[in-house]
């Protein structure tokens, strides 16, 4: 199995409490601030009763701090990624499909969408698609920006420009190519970007690998030295938004050592900030150096201040949030988080967050609608984790990080929560926050790339209100009458099949299937399978379903499954994350046999997914 995320049966109630009420505050114990001014959250959730009673409806299913309200601005738009707002208030979004979303069928039409609320009721009543669609060979993209009466958008390997006209919310002329030839291979094929007031076009090019290993994501594989990938990946490139016909080359690199930037934003002083997705799989690939718990917590997710020529450390270094410093990665001689070496020369982040939450967008709040405490602070959309098993997964929220003079100035709070619903896993989360945008009136938009929902968030309280976290989201529970609530509102293992109902493969025993069940779900032997395959084994972005009865590797026999688990899948079909041998867990031969028996058994159920 490929990686992580489940919940021990023995402590299921406690785990549920973490996942369903405060996973966003998981492992954020109050610790002394590290020397760079990075601080940890100590704020407690506000009472649900404190939610502003003036809000109409249920805030689209999410929770927000007191006096903040949300409406569902639009829904079911496809995989909505980043957003931008024109001065006239029209919201423009980019959507994505292709291999990142396993070539599913997106809504018909172009991948770019214009949305307008002409009635002022918080809902888009005009929604128009434009640009190329699947028939024209497009898979869409993440990046989008407004600059000088035009919409700039990422499309496949290009950044293109659409001139806007005054008589329509969508362009009526063909696009102009601004930058072409951007890399599309490897783990991070997206190209988010931002444009400042002078037309500087900052483009993120994520790394092609997890940590520049000779064998990507494989146990004990050393890092390439030097990491030649840095010539064309893992950094920010700088172009001119006012010029067409620019071609990608190593020469335009602005900074290096940023594994996967994703989010960009600019504060009122013109400083450019970016997020950083920390590397994955410390314990899975280096089990002698890291425990599964260490691997769940580290490395930190980051917000960095972009400075020309700076090196933020990847792949040689990662930021250890517990110690408050950059440390040497195991691929480059690291010893489990103690050695610093060349990392002393790298540029540290300005703020750090729990590991593997996945910061997909960043918005420095420069509006005047929110309380003054939010001014020039950072809102961060966390897409949600898959690499924290056997610890509970985390993220799936939007947090606010106060900043002053370009540095963290206080504890972060969870600003918006409840997106995932009952189950914080990539394959089962209801929604996954992905994009943020600021409207001219100071409201903000939050996008989701699971089902294509967009929320519009407004404020209705005093300008001097202090920061306060969002209430913990409510989760449905069975009523006192004995009625059973929907599975998605009951508990994280609602879709988990009972062992008693499973068949037993020839030559195996019920006891083996039961043990395999516990290992699969991270309840024994440090198993990591459900992190990628999901606790219901129906698959997700990282790995396929195991209950369809169709096998991408082997023939589905017990022997074939056993060999696949033991040997791993270094080059998976249609998935970007390789599976290390034994899922990177310290499994014995008997453990492998038990997991194989369980996987064989659930594969006979034809459970869909």
């Amino acid at each position: 199995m490929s990686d992580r995320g489940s919940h021990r049966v023995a402590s299921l109630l406690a785990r549920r409490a973490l996942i369903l009420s405060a996973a966003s505050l998981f492992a954020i114990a109050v610790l002394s601030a590290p020397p760079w001014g990075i601080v940890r959250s100590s704020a407690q959730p506000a009472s649900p009763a404190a939610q502003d009673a003036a809000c109409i409806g249920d805030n689209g299913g999410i929770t927000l701090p007191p006096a903040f309200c949300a409406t569902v601005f639009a829904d079911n738009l496809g995989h909505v990624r980043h957003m931008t707002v024109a001065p006239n208030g029209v919201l423009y979004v980019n959507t994505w499909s292709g291999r990142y979303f396993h070539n599913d069928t997106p809504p018909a039409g172009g991948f770019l969408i214009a949305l307008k609320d002409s009635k002022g009721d918080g809902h888009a009543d005009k929604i128009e698609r434009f640009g190329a669609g699947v028939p024209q060979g497009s898979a869409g993209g993440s990046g989008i920006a407004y600059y000088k009466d035009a919409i700039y958008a990422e499309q496949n390997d290009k950044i293109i420009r659409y001139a806007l006209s005054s008589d329509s919310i969508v362009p009526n002329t063909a696009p102009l190519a601004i930058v072409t030839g951007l890399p599309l291979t490897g783990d991070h094929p997206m190209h988010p970007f931002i444009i400042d007031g002078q037309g500087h076009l900052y483009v993120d090019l994520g790394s092609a690998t997890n940590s520049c290993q000779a064998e990507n994501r494989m146990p004990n594989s050393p890092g390439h030295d030097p990491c030649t990938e840095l010539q064309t990946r893992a950094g920010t490139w700088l172009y001119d938004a006012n010029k067409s016909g620019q071609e990608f080359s190593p020469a335009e690199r602005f900074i290096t050592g940023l594994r996967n930037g994703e989010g960009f934003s600019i504060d009122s002083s013109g400083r450019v900030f970016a997020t950083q997705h920390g590397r994955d799989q410390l314990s899975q690939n280096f089990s002698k150096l890291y425990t599964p718990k260490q691997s769940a917590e580290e490395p930190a997710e980051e917000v960095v201040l972009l400075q020309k020529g700076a090196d933020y450390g990847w792949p040689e270094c990662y930021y250890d949030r517990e110690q408050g410093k950059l440390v040497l990665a195991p691929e480059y001689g690291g010893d489990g988080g103690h050695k610093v070496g060349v990392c002393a020369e790298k540029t540290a982040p300005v703020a750090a967050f729990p590991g593997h939450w996945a910061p997909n967008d960043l918005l420095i709040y420069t509006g005047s609608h929110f309380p003054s405490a939010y001014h020039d602070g950072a809102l961060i959309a966390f897409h949600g984790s898959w690499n924290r098993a056997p610890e509970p997964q985390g993220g799936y929220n939007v947090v606010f990080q106060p900043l002053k003079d370009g540095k963290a100035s206080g504890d972060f709070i969870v600003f918006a929560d409840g997106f995932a619903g009952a189950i914080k896993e990539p394959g089962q989360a209801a929604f996954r926050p992905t994009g943020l945008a600021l409207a001219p009136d100071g409201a903000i938009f939050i996008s989701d790339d699971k089902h294509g929902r967009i929320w519009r968030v407004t404020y209705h309280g005093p300008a001097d209100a202090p920061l306060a976290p969002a209430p913990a989201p409510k989760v449905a529970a069975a009523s006192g009458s004995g009625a059973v609530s929907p599975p998605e509102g009951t508990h994280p293992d609602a879709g988990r099949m009972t062992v008693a109902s499973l068949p037993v493969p020839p030559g195996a025993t019920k006891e083996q299937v039961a043990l395999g069940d516990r290992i699969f779900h991270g309840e024994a032997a440090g198993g990591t399978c459900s992190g990628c395959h999901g606790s219901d084994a129906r698959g997700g972005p990282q790995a396929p379903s195991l209950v369809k009865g169709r096998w991408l590797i082997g023939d589905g026999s017990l022997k074939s499954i056993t060999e696949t688990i033991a040997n791993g899948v270094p080059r998976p079909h249609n998935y970007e994350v390789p599976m290390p041998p034994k899922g990177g867990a310290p499994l014995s031969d008997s453990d492998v046999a038990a997991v194989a028996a369980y996987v064989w058994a659930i594969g006979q159920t034809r459970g869909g997914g």
Side-chain angles (χ1 to χ4, degrees):
M1 320 294 97
S2 195
D3 242 273
R4 311 207 129 225
S6 202
H7 322 279
R8 282 186 79 85
V9 169
S11 57
L12 181 58
L13 293 178
R15 297 251 176 159
R16 287 176 191 163
L18 285 171
I19 291 173
L20 302 180
S21 67
S24 53
L25 299 177
F26 176 79
I28 310 175
V30 180
L31 300 167
S32 59
W36 344 94
I38 297 169
V39 288
R40 296 166 172 80
S41 174
S42 58
Q44 298 298 311
S47 165
Q51 188 72 42
D52 185 15
C55 295
I56 299 173
D58 65 349
N59 288 326
I62 63 174
T63 65
L64 295 161
F68 285 88
C69 299
T71 57
V72 176
F73 190 72
D75 212 350
N76 301 310
L77 298 174
H79 304 297
V80 180
R81 300 288 286 184
H82 289 175
M83 306 176 287
T84 190
V85 189
N88 62 1
V90 176
L91 177 69
Y92 292 90
V93 307
N94 202 350
T95 66
W96 198 18
S97 188
R99 66 184 177 91
Y100 191 82
F101 291 99
H102 308 305
N103 298 301
D104 62 354
T105 303
F111 281 101
L112 297 167
I113 312 174
L115 305 100
K116 183 178 182 179
D117 172 12
S118 61
K119 300 177 182 178
D121 61 1
H123 306 279
D125 56 287
K126 294 183 179 181
I127 301 176
E128 297 186 38
R129 292 179 177 269
F130 64 98
V134 172
Q136 293 78 38
S138 176
S142 285
I144 190 168
Y146 174 89
Y147 176 68
K148 285 189 175 180
D149 299 322
I151 293 298
Y152 290 69
E154 171 194 0
Q155 178 186 293
N156 298 352
D157 66 339
K158 299 183 288 291
I159 293 175
I160 54 181
R161 177 187 184 274
Y162 285 93
L164 294 173
S165 60
S166 58
D167 59 350
S168 174
I169 64 173
V170 297
N172 50 31
T173 58
L176 188 65
I178 301 300
V179 183
T180 60
L182 298 170
L184 286 170
T185 57
D187 290 1
H188 305 117
M190 61 288 285
H191 312 107
F193 63 89
I194 195 169
I195 304 172
D196 70 12
Q198 291 72 48
H200 297 120
L201 171 60
Y202 299 90
V203 184
D204 171 65
L205 295 177
S207 66
T209 63
N210 176 42
S211 53
C212 206
Q213 289 174 286
E215 292 184 273
N216 188 32
R217 300 179 186 266
M218 288 292 104
N220 305 309
S221 178
H224 288 291
D225 192 7
C227 179
T228 55
E229 182 182 331
L230 288 170
Q231 296 174 11
T232 57
R233 306 294 290 266
T236 299
W237 265 245
L238 181 60
Y239 294 95
D240 185 349
N242 298 294
K243 292 174 57 178
S244 62
Q246 299 168 93
E247 296 183 0
F248 168 77
S249 78
E252 290 80 37
R253 187 175 64 187
F254 183 71
I255 60 95
T256 190
L258 208 61
R259 177 178 176 271
N260 187 24
E262 287 285 339
F264 287 104
S265 195
I266 301 172
D267 72 5
S268 58
S269 298
R271 288 179 286 243
V272 182
F273 296 84
T275 59
Q276 154 114 286
H277 283 230
R279 54 82 54 77
D280 300 323
Q281 299 171 303
L282 285 170
S283 68
Q284 294 95 318
N285 292 343
F286 295 90
S287 59
K288 294 181 179 180
L289 296 176
Y290 300 91
T291 66
K293 183 173 179 59
Q294 285 177 305
S295 188
E297 301 298 342
E298 303 294 350
E301 309 289 33
E302 304 173 32
V303 169
V304 303
L305 174 62
L306 294 189
Q307 298 171 301
K308 182 175 175 59
D311 183 344
Y312 298 89
W314 186 91
E316 296 169 299
C317 311
Y318 66 86
Y319 191 80
D320 186 306
R321 185 167 174 261
E322 179 69 23
Q323 299 183 74
K325 64 181 181 181
L326 288 160
V327 296
L328 204 59
E331 293 85 353
Y332 293 89
D335 58 356
H338 303 292
K339 290 183 180 179
V340 173
V342 297
C343 305
E345 304 166 9
K346 309 299 183 181
T347 303
V350 299
F353 306 90
H356 313 296
W357 279 18
N360 264 27
D361 205 5
L362 173 68
L363 174 65
I364 305 297
Y365 189 81
T366 56
S368 57
H369 177 56
F370 285 12
S372 57
Y374 287 85
H375 183 70
D376 258 358
L379 290 154
I380 303 135
F382 284 105
H383 198 225
S385 66
W386 62 272
N387 192 221
R388 292 179 63 91
E391 303 298 320
Q393 302 295 341
Y396 303 92
N397 55 22
V398 176
V399 312
F400 177 76
Q401 171 63 61
L403 298 174
K404 184 177 181 180
D405 298 326
K407 298 179 181 179
S409 60
D411 298 346
F412 76 79
I413 61 167
V414 175
F415 174 79
D417 206 354
F419 296 93
I423 306 177
K424 289 191 173 183
E425 292 182 9
Q428 298 190 70
F431 303 100
R432 303 185 72 183
T434 302
L436 298 163
L438 176 64
D441 63 0
I444 68 166
F445 295 96
I446 304 171
S447 69
D448 146 70
D449 72 351
K450 189 77 179 288
H451 296 292
R453 177 172 290 187
I454 298 174
W455 293 263
R456 183 176 184 269
V457 178
T458 55
Y459 179 66
H460 306 273
D464 60 352
L467 297 178
K474 292 182 179 180
V475 177
S479 71
S481 65
V484 179
S485 64
E488 64 270 23
T490 304
H491 60 83
D493 292 328
R496 181 170 168 178
M497 290 169 278
T498 60
V499 173
S501 67
L502 294 175
V504 177
T509 65
K510 286 185 177 181
E511 290 73 20
Q512 277 185 304
V513 174
L515 175 60
D517 175 25
R518 295 196 299 276
I519 295 172
F520 184 96
H521 290 92
E523 296 158 6
T528 64
C529 314
S530 63
C532 285
H533 293 286
S535 60
D536 61 357
R538 295 177 186 270
Q542 282 76 34
S545 170
L546 299 175
V547 296
K548 284 184 176 181
R550 299 196 300 269
W551 302 95
L552 299 180
I553 303 293
D555 58 10
S557 66
L558 183 61
K559 180 177 182 292
S560 174
I561 294 170
T562 303
E563 291 175 349
T564 300
I565 295 170
N567 299 329
V569 185
R571 295 174 182 81
H573 302 309
N574 301 323
Y575 290 85
E576 296 178 359
V577 179
M579 186 182 93
K582 303 177 183 179
L587 305 183
S588 66
D589 290 346
S590 60
D591 291 336
V592 170
V595 177
Y598 175 72
V599 172
W600 181 93
I602 61 177
Q604 310 306 304
T605 63
R606 306 296 192 272

